Amino acid sequence: MKGRFIAFEGCEGAGKSTQMRLLSEYLTARGVPHILTREPGGGHISESIRNIILDGKNREMTDECEALLYAAARVQHLSDTVKPALERGETVLCDRYIFSSFAYQGYGRGLSLGFLKAINAYAIENFMPDVTLFLDIPSSNAFDRKHGADPQDRMEQAGEAFHKRVYEGYRALLRDYSEQIAAIDCSGTKYETSAKIVQCLVSRGFIG
Ligand code: TYD
């Protein structure tokens, strides 16, 4: 049996890791085999790529190089982590996927969506999640939650206007990919948000 592929998206500090952990507890309690993983990262090659991308010292990295590195980390992560788990029948909870590239490198950096779709077509070959959950909280609120940007993290240091464009980008993607992305309102407590996520997945028949 093939497992379900569920991606989480949102701005920095939207609470993705907390919500993934709460969903993991829910699945464990019901005996649903699953893994938690993240982009860029997962296996050791993608984690090495991640360190290059996020390293605050790599200030001269071009936007195109950044986009290609994310796509490279993605294809490796799919091959060594995501696809094997799905084949074992496990559900995969993945922190970020292709819509992060569209939101951050497209709307945030200003690269064309055509370029991003083309390089990611090589990386994923149409391999899309069963559903993408967008944790909807504006970037400014999200940074407040995590008490500001990390000075060592190149992406978090990109500035307020950048992160605002990323959030607006996600809103646009939500309209363009309404069949694939479900917005989760995060204005309540973490437990209320978690209940909304479970309800969304149950209503789509992805979990019991
Ligand atoms: P991470 O520390 O995992 O951030 P978060 O906890 O908010 O998910 O770092 C991932 C960073 O990489 C984050 O700033 C978003 C960015 N990113 C992109 O810009 N493009 C991408 O395709 C992906 C997967 C991530």
Side-chain angles (χ1 to χ4, degrees):
M1 196 190 74
K2 207 171 154 294
R4 297 291 186 178
F5 182 15
I6 300 168
F8 287 72
E9 292 284 357
C11 294
E12 247 77 5
K16 289 185 278 76
S17 18
T18 303
Q19 290 306 326
M20 286 175 64
R21 184 174 49 76
L22 291 173
L23 181 59
S24 171
E25 287 169 9
Y26 177 95
L27 295 176
T28 301
R30 279 155 190 79
V32 179
H34 63 281
I35 63 160
L36 285 88
T37 188
R38 68 172 179 183
E39 273 206 1
H44 74 278
I45 298 172
S46 313
E47 288 288 340
S48 302
I49 298 175
R50 174 190 178 88
N51 291 337
I52 297 172
I53 303 175
L54 297 183
D55 189 339
K57 292 199 289 296
N58 288 337
R59 266 183 235 105
E60 68 277 30
M61 185 182 291
T62 68
D63 295 343
E64 288 78 4
C65 174
E66 178 183 289
L68 287 161
L69 286 176
Y70 277 117
R74 181 161 298 132
V75 67
Q76 186 66 34
H77 179 237
L78 270 181
S79 159
D80 61 25
T81 306
V82 177
K83 287 183 178 174
L86 294 173
E87 292 303 332
R88 291 193 301 270
E90 296 168 8
T91 284
V92 173
L93 309 185
C94 186
D95 190 342
R96 300 192 178 282
Y97 196 58
I98 189 171
F99 292 120
S100 280
S101 287
F102 293 175
Y104 282 77
Q105 282 66 55
Y107 290 91
R109 298 290 192 211
L111 294 180
S112 83
L113 288 180
F115 167 69
L116 295 167
K117 283 178 190 165
I119 60 173
N120 278 284
Y122 283 108
I124 72 168
E125 296 175 323
N126 284 328
F127 198 85
M128 288 299 284
D130 291 290
V131 67
T132 295
L133 301 173
F134 169 55
L135 302 197
D136 192 352
I137 171 171
S139 58
S140 49
N141 303 10
F143 272 115
D144 288 348
R145 279 195 188 185
K146 70 189 295 292
H147 309 297
D150 177 353
Q152 310 298 330
D153 185 315
R154 211 173 52 83
M155 298 307 288
E156 292 198 12
Q157 285 304 312
E160 204 176 307
F162 171 85
H163 287 283
K164 196 162 177 296
R165 287 197 300 279
V166 169
Y167 177 72
E168 296 304 333
Y170 272 126
R171 301 287 320 170
L173 291 167
L174 203 51
R175 290 190 289 276
D176 293 347
Y177 294 86
S178 56
E179 307 253 297
Q180 299 184 49
I181 310 177
I184 306 290
D185 168 24
C186 296
S187 55
T189 68
K190 62 183 177 185
Y191 300 108
E192 286 165 350
T193 301
S194 178
K196 287 176 196 154
I197 289 175
V198 168
Q199 193 184 29
C200 169
L201 296 175
V202 169
S203 71
R204 287 167 187 246
F206 295 159
I207 59 176

